[in-house]
C-alpha cells in the first residue's frame, strides 16, 4: 500500500504534466472504485485547468479553476502514470489502454495521465476547494508529519497515557497522518524503541525524539522516489528505491545493521501486521 513518501513521489511526478494545464478530456470508464464516483465526474473535469497539486496525508488534491478540488487516493494498488511528452520536444505514442485504466486525463499539453487500479481500493471525489479538511476521509486526520503543526509537544500530548504499543500508536492517523507500517518500523529502529513497548511507558524525551526521526525517514524515502514493493511505481513508471535502504523492514533473520550488534532482525505480528525490529538495539 502506498504510504506518504510514495504518494508525494507520485504528486511530484504529475506536476510537470498537470499543474497549470487544462484537462482537455476526462474519461471515466466505470461508475466507481471503492465508492461511487461523484456525479457527472467526467463532465465536471473536462475543460478545467489544474491550478495546484497538493497532498494531504496519502491523498492527492488537485485544485481546479472551477473552484472544485479533485481528491485522489491510490488505495492498495492504484497507480497514476503519465505518458506522452508535455514539453512537445519528442513524439511519443501513448500506450494502448489497459484493462484496469479506470480514469484517463487527456491533458491539453499532450500528456495523458492514467489511473490504473486492479484491486479498486482507490477513490476519487470532488468537493468545493477549501472544504477538504471537512471531507469524511480527511476530517479526522492528525497533523502532517512534514508540516509545522507536527511538533514534539504535539506527539508527547497525543501519546500521553496511551496504553497501546508505540507501533500501533504511531499508525493511528489521528496522532500523525500518513505513516504506515514500513516507515513506522524504520522510525522505531532508528529511535531504538521496541515496537511492543507501551506508549505510556516511554519517557517524554524519547517520544519527542521521534519527531525529527519521522521527518528524516520520510524525507529520505521521498528523495529515493518511495519504496517499490509489489505494485508501486513513480508517475513516470520508474521504481522507487528506498526499499534498498530498509534497515529492518522485510529483513527477518538477517543481521542487524548496527556496527558491533550481533543480533538478527526479528518479526512479530501486531494488530495483524508484521513488525520488524532488532531485539538488542530496540528496548
Ligand atoms: Zn541491533
Amino acid at each position: 500500500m502506498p504510504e506518504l513518501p510514495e504518494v508525494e513521489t507520485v504528486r511530484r511526478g504529475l506536476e510537470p504534466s498537470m499543474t497549470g494545464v487544462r484537462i482537455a478530456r476526462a474519461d471515466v470508464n466505470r461508475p466507481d472504485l471503492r465508492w461511487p464516483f461523484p456525479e457527472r465526474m467526467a463532465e465536471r473535469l473536462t475543460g478545467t485547468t489544474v491550478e495546484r497539486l497538493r497532498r494531504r496525508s496519502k491523498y492527492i488534491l488537485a485544485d481546479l479553476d472551477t473552484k472544485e478540488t479533485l481528491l485522489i487516493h491510490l488505495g492498495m494498488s492504484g497507480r497514476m502514470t503519465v505518458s506522452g511528452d508535455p514539453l512537445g520536444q519528442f513524439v511519443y505514442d501513448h500506450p494502448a489502454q489497459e484493462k484496469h485504466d479506470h480514469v484517463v486525463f487527456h491533458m491539453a499539453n499532450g500528456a495523458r495521465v492514467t489511473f490504473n487500479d486492479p484491486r479498486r481500493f482507490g477513490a476519487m471525489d470532488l468537493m468545493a476547494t477549501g472544504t477538504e479538511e471537512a471531507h469524511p476521509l480527511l476530517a479526522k486526520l492528525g497533523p502532517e508529519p512534514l508540516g509545522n503543526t507536527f511538533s514534539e509537544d504535539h506527539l508527547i500530548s497525543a501519546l500521553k497515557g496511551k496504553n497501546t504499543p508505540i507501533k500501533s500508536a504511531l499508525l493511528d492517523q489521528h496522532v500523525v497522518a500518513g505513516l504506515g507500517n514500513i516507515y513506522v518500523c524504520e522510525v522505531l529502529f532508528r529511535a531504538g524503541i521496541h515496537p511492543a513497548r507501551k506508549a505510556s511507558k516511554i519517557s517524554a524525551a524519547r517520544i519527542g525524539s521521534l519527531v525529527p526521526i519521522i521527518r528524516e525517514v520520510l524525507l529520505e524515502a521521498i528523495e529515493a522516489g518511495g519504496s517499490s514493493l509489489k505494485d508501486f511505481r513513480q508517475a513516470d513508471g520508474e521504481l522507487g528505491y528506498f526499499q534498498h535502504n530498509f534497515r529492518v523492514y522485510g529483513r527477518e533473520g538477517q543481521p542487524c545493521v548496527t556496527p558491533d550488534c550481533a543480533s538478527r532482525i526479528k518479526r512479530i505480528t501486531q494488530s495483524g501486521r508484521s513488525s520488524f525490529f532488532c531485539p538488542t538495539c530496540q528496548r
Side-chain angles (χ1 to χ4, degrees), residues 189 255-265 277-282:
F189 175 75
C256 175
V257 298
T258 304
D260 302 326
C261 176
S263 291
R264 288 179 181 272
I265 302 305
F277 66 100
C278 171
T280 303
C281 297
Q282 292 175 255

Side-chain angles (χ1 to χ4, degrees), residues 3-6 8 55 144-146 150 176-180 183-184 187 190 212-224 226 242:
E3 297 187 24
L4 187 153
E6 289 75 47
E8 177 62 17
R55 181 188 52 74
E144 277 297 308
L146 299 175
F150 182 60
V176 54
L179 279 189
Y183 297 105
V184 169
V187 162
R190 292 191 192 191
I213 294 172
I214 288 170
R215 293 209 174 102
E216 171 189 277
V217 169
L218 294 176
L219 288 169
E220 282 177 25
I222 291 168
E223 187 66 27
F242 192 69

Side-chain angles (χ1 to χ4, degrees), residues 28-44:
V28 179
N29 297 331
R30 50 175 299 118
D32 56 10
L33 290 171
R34 185 167 192 174
W35 298 289
F37 285 127
E39 278 180 36
R40 301 182 299 108
M41 184 167 95
E43 207 178 305
R44 284 158 78 183

Side-chain angles (χ1 to χ4, degrees), residues 232-270:
F232 176 71
R233 299 259 170 178
Q234 302 184 41
D236 59 5
E238 294 290 315
L239 297 168
Y241 54 89
F242 192 69
Q243 67 277 12
H244 303 302
N245 300 340
F246 290 164
R247 297 181 191 175
V248 286
Y249 187 85
R251 298 192 63 246
E252 184 182 14
Q254 295 181 40
C256 175
V257 298
T258 304
D260 302 326
C261 176
S263 291
R264 288 179 181 272
I265 302 305
K266 284 200 161 176
R267 182 176 69 88
I268 53 172
T269 303
Q270 293 180 283

